[in-house]
Amino acid sequence: MSLVEIATAVSHQFVAAPVQIASFWLSVTLPLFYIPLIFDGLGAKVLPSFIGLLSLHLVTLFLGRNYRQEKA
């Protein structure tokens, strides 16, 4: 086993996997935070928070998209 293969396996196990797990579960729970923002109305005061939350949700969806998928 080469040094590159070892580094790749270690980086996936200790860096990529936890980020992927956290991103997946954040993407599942973030929609709960939309509800209070929508009930307050999307006025000038709430709109930046809503846009930031939506952007964060898109990033977490992208990062957590392969969590628990079967490897072919």
Side-chain angles (χ1 to χ4, degrees):
M1 189 178 243
S2 72
L3 186 59
V4 173
E5 291 173 343
I6 293 171
T8 303
V10 168
S11 70
H12 182 270
Q13 182 179 3
F14 292 111
V15 177
V19 168
Q20 194 173 49
I21 293 168
S23 295
F24 173 80
W25 286 108
L26 269 173
S27 68
V28 169
T29 58
L30 277 175
L32 296 174
F33 295 100
Y34 292 143
I35 296 168
L37 291 177
I38 291 173
F39 279 134
D40 283 343
L42 292 178
K45 184 176 80 173
V46 178
L47 191 59
S49 298
F50 182 75
I51 298 294
L53 186 61
L54 188 62
S55 301
L56 178 64
H57 194 186
L58 289 173
V59 169
T60 59
L61 282 170
F62 178 74
L63 291 175
R65 72 188 182 279
N66 291 329
Y67 175 63
R68 289 254 174 134
Q69 281 191 345
E70 295 289 328
K71 301 227 190 300

